[in-house]
Amino acid sequence: MGKVGFIGGGAMAEAIVAAITQGMVAREDIYVSDHKAKRCEELSERYGIHTSVGADSFVGTVDVLVLAIKPQAAAKAIAEIKGRVGNETIILSIVAGLTLKVLEEAFPVQPVVRVMPNTPLAVGAGMSAFACGSHADHLAAQTVEDLLSSAGRAIEVPEAAMDAVTGLSGSGPAYAFLMIDALADGGVAAGLKRPAAIELAAQTLLGAAKMVLKTGKHPDVLRDQVTSPAGTTIAGVRVMEQHGVRGALIDAVLAATEKSKELGKK
């Protein structure tokens, strides 16, 4: 993959660094810039990578440049580096709301890729969706997919789908945390101690998710396999349907998608 540089050393950048240092990219080929010297020291000590307060030392030499800054700082950061990036450098942006159009205006000849990751990236279980700009060919897309997959899973989508991705997988961890908390409360109400209830709930959701991904079976099929006639599971499912849990989750994704569209217009 060559050299990888990061503008911004926050949690998402660190999650990717932690993943790619496991064998994908040599530590001496990873560069991170952050505006806080203390943060640079932390990352350097933790991962054995190059860090600096500014990006001058690496921005023109890396093969992949990851924009991992906050949206409000993006314009200034891009203005500082846009004329010094190599023509073949892949620009990978995880800046929320930053469109391919804006990115390609700043980087008119470089392959540009917009990414929507989510927070489980920090534990190697992220779900990232990416959209490629006009100069990003199959090789660039594969490079980005490989990099993101090192910390979870990654899929390519049209940019028009990014708001829906935000509403589903970007905001989705919050829905899952809410469900884990609610299931644990149910366990406590039924007599379990809270630490055990939380562990049971979290591992159950993790296991169910793994079954969907590994078997490739539709969730309905897997649900039917555990739902015996007149048994405990159908009794619980019946209550969830009566309380509109399915509809609430659908509406949550749609509401978050609409909010993402609103924010993208500002």
Side-chain angles (χ1 to χ4, degrees):
M1 182 172 290
K3 297 180 179 180
V4 181
F6 295 79
I7 307 294
M12 287 294 191
E14 182 176 1
I16 298 173
V17 168
I20 63 177
T21 52
Q22 299 306 305
M24 176 174 287
V25 182
R27 293 173 190 266
E28 60 266 26
D29 289 333
I30 300 173
Y31 303 79
V32 177
S33 70
D34 192 86
H35 67 284
K36 296 180 180 178
K38 184 177 180 181
R39 179 60 172 164
C40 289
E41 291 174 8
E42 290 175 355
L43 293 173
S44 179
E45 291 175 3
R46 195 171 297 158
Y47 301 104
I49 59 175
H50 302 284
T51 61
S52 56
V53 173
D56 292 347
S57 61
F58 66 82
V59 72
T61 63
V62 294
D63 300 287
V64 180
L65 183 63
V66 182
L67 304 180
I69 55 248
K70 296 185 182 298
Q72 58 268 31
K76 181 181 178 182
I78 289 172
E80 291 175 351
I81 65 169
K82 65 180 182 180
R84 295 181 286 138
V85 177
N87 290 350
E88 303 299 320
T89 299
I90 299 171
I91 308 296
L92 189 162
S93 170
I94 62 174
V95 181
L98 203 58
T99 65
L100 287 174
K101 181 177 182 293
V102 171
L103 288 165
E104 290 193 322
E105 286 173 354
F107 305 101
V109 299
Q110 290 86 359
V112 169
V113 181
R114 178 185 175 187
V115 180
M116 170 51 69
N118 65 10
T119 54
L121 202 74
V123 292
M127 183 67 245
S128 300
F130 64 93
C132 293
S134 57
H135 297 297
D137 58 13
H138 174 73
L139 180 60
Q142 189 62 57
T143 298
V144 170
E145 183 174 355
D146 290 345
L147 189 150
L148 295 170
S149 296
S150 68
R153 289 175 175 255
I155 59 170
E156 183 175 0
V157 300
E159 187 180 25
M162 276 297 185
D163 290 315
V165 168
T166 301
L168 178 53
S169 64
S171 300
Y175 314 151
F177 297 143
L178 188 151
M179 285 187 282
I180 291 169
D181 188 38
L183 289 169
D185 278 350
V188 172
L192 292 169
K193 291 185 177 179
R194 185 162 296 279
I198 292 173
E199 184 175 357
L200 286 163
Q203 181 62 33
T204 298
L205 261 66
L206 175 62
K210 282 189 173 182
M211 286 186 72
V212 172
L213 293 173
K214 288 196 173 184
T215 67
K217 293 180 180 179
H218 194 281
D220 276 352
V221 173
L222 295 171
R223 185 189 64 195
D224 286 347
Q225 290 175 357
V226 74
T227 309
S228 303
T232 59
T233 304
I234 192 61
V237 169
R238 176 172 171 268
V239 172
M240 292 176 73
E241 295 288 12
Q242 287 176 335
H243 286 272
V245 172
R246 178 194 299 269
L249 290 171
I250 293 171
D251 287 347
V253 173
L254 292 175
T257 299
E258 288 305 310
K259 176 60 72 172
S260 178
K261 289 179 181 178
E262 289 176 17
L263 295 174
K265 294 175 182 177
K266 293 181 179 180

